[in-house]
Amino acid sequence: MILLDTHALIWLAAGTNDLGSRALRAIEEQPERRMSAMVAWELAMLVDKRRIALESPLDIWLDQAMRAFRIVEVPVTGAIGRDAGGLQGNIHGDPCDRIMVATARALGCALVTSDRAILRYAATGHLKAIDARR
């Protein structure tokens, strides 16, 4: 199983070279691909702030991407929320990123991300992560 961060999903769906070959291979090799429900929220925020433009309305784009890449949405549970709020060590305060980390930990899977703070946190042994740019 593998969990995709928001930008990893965007890059995967767009077929861009931003997603590294090792990360793409790791995604393709996993029969179970997941995304946090927070990805939908983050995408909506990015579209609303005009930081990204999608080829179709968000609902359609996200549904098509999830079907095309066989991605299952993971809800934010109370346990994930508690873990996200109490993460130990040096991790930044972005609530969405903390929820992504806690979701990967709850699932026991690697998080595909290019977020430097999350990758540093993973390097200290707090979770498994795959650098999306490699």
Side-chain angles (χ1 to χ4, degrees), residues 33-83:
R33 300 174 191 112
R34 302 286 187 263
M35 65 170 225
S36 169
M38 293 305 294
V39 168
W41 174 83
E42 196 165 33
L43 284 168
M45 296 293 291
L46 291 169
V47 168
D48 184 61
K49 292 178 180 180
R50 301 189 197 296
R51 292 186 57 205
I52 63 168
L54 302 175
E55 299 166 359
S56 55
L58 176 58
D59 288 346
I60 294 169
W61 184 92
L62 188 54
D63 183 58
Q64 288 174 341
M66 289 176 67
R67 273 190 283 116
F69 298 102
R70 299 179 319 276
I71 298 168
V72 175
E73 183 180 84
V74 179
V76 178
T77 64
I80 289 171
R82 288 187 300 276
D83 188 37

Side-chain angles (χ1 to χ4, degrees), residues 4-11 38-39 42-43 46 96 100:
L4 302 175
D5 201 346
T6 304
H7 52 274
L9 174 62
I10 292 169
W11 297 341
M38 293 305 294
V39 168
E42 196 165 33
L43 284 168
L46 291 169
C96 194
M100 298 281 185

Side-chain angles (χ1 to χ4, degrees), residues 63-122:
D63 183 58
Q64 288 174 341
M66 289 176 67
R67 273 190 283 116
F69 298 102
R70 299 179 319 276
I71 298 168
V72 175
E73 183 180 84
V74 179
V76 178
T77 64
I80 289 171
R82 288 187 300 276
D83 188 37
L87 291 173
Q88 300 297 309
N90 188 16
I91 182 75
H92 57 67
D94 182 309
C96 194
D97 287 339
R98 293 175 73 96
I99 289 170
M100 298 281 185
V101 167
T103 302
R105 288 163 45 115
L107 296 174
C109 70
L111 173 61
V112 179
T113 186
S114 66
D115 185 292
R116 293 288 157 220
I118 294 174
L119 292 170
R120 281 191 303 273
Y121 192 67

